Amino acid sequence: MNLADLPLIGPFAEFDFMARALAGCIALSFSAAPVGVFLLLRRMSLTGDAMAHAVLPGAALGYLVAGLSLGAMTVGGIAAGLTVAAASGLAARNSVLREDASLAAFYLLSLALGVLIVSVRGNSVDLLHVLFGTVLALDSATLTLLGGIAVVTLLALRLLWRPLLLECYDPQFLRSVSRLSPLAHYGFLVLMVLNLVAGFHALGTLMAVGLMVLPAATARLWTRRLLPLLVLAVALALLASTGGLLVSYQFDTPTSPTIVLALGLAYLFSLMAAPQGALRHQRPSATHYRA
């Protein structure tokens, strides 16, 4: 039997652009989903969304200088994301604003600036490319970048495993017993920005955070243990991105939103059916906490 005749395999076997899109989604699933798990544990999921928009002006400036250049847009996006993270932290430490408020202010400024740059110097096609990505047009250089970021992310998470866990559950204890606290904190921010830039190239700035946050949130409804949580988040990202690509191919829908909607449907189903979901999860009564 010819693989091209199989409905679930045929599009990937027959069309090179579908195979490249699948390879890009696999790389993103193995890098962004684990980062999303730690975002969830650190209660920073909305921070991920803010940072996804914060990379836009840097990518837009890269586009302004060199056009749709992978290197220029990557370097610009990373620089913009790290700048917004550092600026919001400085504003929070030197003013009455909390970090979430300062981050919201800076990311809104970044988003508006990025859209303005692309709109003024580009056209509607360029703007759609930046906002929603071109996962069906990934080339070899972009796939190499996504694969490299996935490898760096997995190696960094392995090296920072213990300090990251401690910072998730008791950051003050980590600061008191180890000098690795700043490394864990800022190293994780760098990983987050790298993965958001990778997601930006494939899914666009509006959809990039979906493959990071939704698999982690869905997996958390099914398990409390960390290793199964990581594995399940990656598996959900793989299944939803593959399903989203197939649905987009069959029904000619925008690919990035279709992938994120597939992740959203998995989340809504889990919210109803999972052990920690809305219907089955029983909150402890007040007497449970009494001595």
Side-chain angles (χ1 to χ4, degrees):
M1 179 181 292
N2 191 351
L3 290 178
D5 296 330
L6 299 175
L8 297 181
I9 301 177
F12 303 115
E14 184 176 359
F15 300 107
D16 186 59
F17 71 90
M18 288 292 289
R20 290 177 180 273
L22 179 61
C25 288
I26 290 173
L28 283 173
S29 297
F30 275 98
S31 59
V35 171
V37 169
F38 283 98
L39 274 176
L40 182 73
L41 294 177
R42 293 159 64 103
R43 297 176 177 87
M44 292 174 60
S45 296
L46 289 178
T47 300
D49 182 58
M51 293 303 299
H53 301 314
V55 306
L56 180 57
L61 287 174
Y63 163 79
L64 184 65
V65 172
L68 295 176
S69 166
L70 176 67
M73 294 179 73
T74 299
V75 172
I78 292 173
L82 294 178
T83 299
V84 168
S88 62
L90 287 173
R93 284 193 294 270
N94 294 283
S95 71
V96 297
L97 293 176
R98 293 175 61 88
E99 190 166 5
D100 59 343
S102 59
L103 180 62
F106 278 103
Y107 107 75
L108 287 170
L109 288 172
S110 298
L111 178 62
L113 178 61
V115 172
L116 181 65
I117 292 172
V118 178
S119 300
V120 170
R121 298 303 300 267
N123 53 48
S124 60
V125 175
D126 296 328
L127 183 60
L128 288 175
H129 167 86
V130 169
L131 294 180
F132 298 106
T134 53
V135 68
L136 295 181
L138 297 178
D139 56 18
S140 298
T142 307
L143 287 178
T144 301
L145 174 67
L146 299 185
I149 289 176
V151 171
V152 169
T153 298
L154 293 175
L155 289 176
L157 290 177
R158 179 65 185 91
L159 292 174
L160 296 174
W161 182 260
R162 288 184 178 275
L164 275 178
L165 287 182
L166 282 175
E167 194 179 39
C168 287
Y169 294 109
D170 196 342
Q172 292 184 350
F173 175 75
L174 177 63
R175 286 193 291 268
S176 66
V177 301
S178 174
R179 297 180 180 178
L180 293 178
S181 178
L183 178 62
H185 180 73
Y186 292 107
F188 179 75
L189 287 180
V190 171
L191 288 181
M192 180 176 65
V193 171
L194 284 175
N195 279 275
L196 289 172
V197 170
F200 162 82
H201 284 299
L203 303 178
T205 187
L206 294 183
M207 301 288 123
V209 75
L211 205 59
M212 184 178 292
V213 172
L214 283 172
T218 305
R220 177 62 185 84
L221 295 171
W222 291 96
T223 181
R224 295 180 178 181
R225 299 176 59 194
L226 181 57
L227 287 178
L229 181 60
L230 288 167
V231 172
L232 184 55
V234 172
L236 286 167
L238 287 171
L239 289 173
S241 57
T242 303
L245 286 172
L246 289 170
V247 171
S248 173
Y249 171 78
Q250 294 293 340
F251 297 97
D252 194 25
T253 58
T255 308
S256 298
T258 303
I259 291 174
V260 175
L261 280 175
L263 289 166
L265 289 175
Y267 171 75
L268 293 175
F269 170 78
S270 300
L271 195 61
M272 297 295 104
Q276 305 299 316
L279 296 183
R280 299 179 60 186
H281 178 55
Q282 298 294 324
R283 294 187 179 275
S285 63
T287 57
H288 178 78
Y289 298 100
R290 292 177 183 170

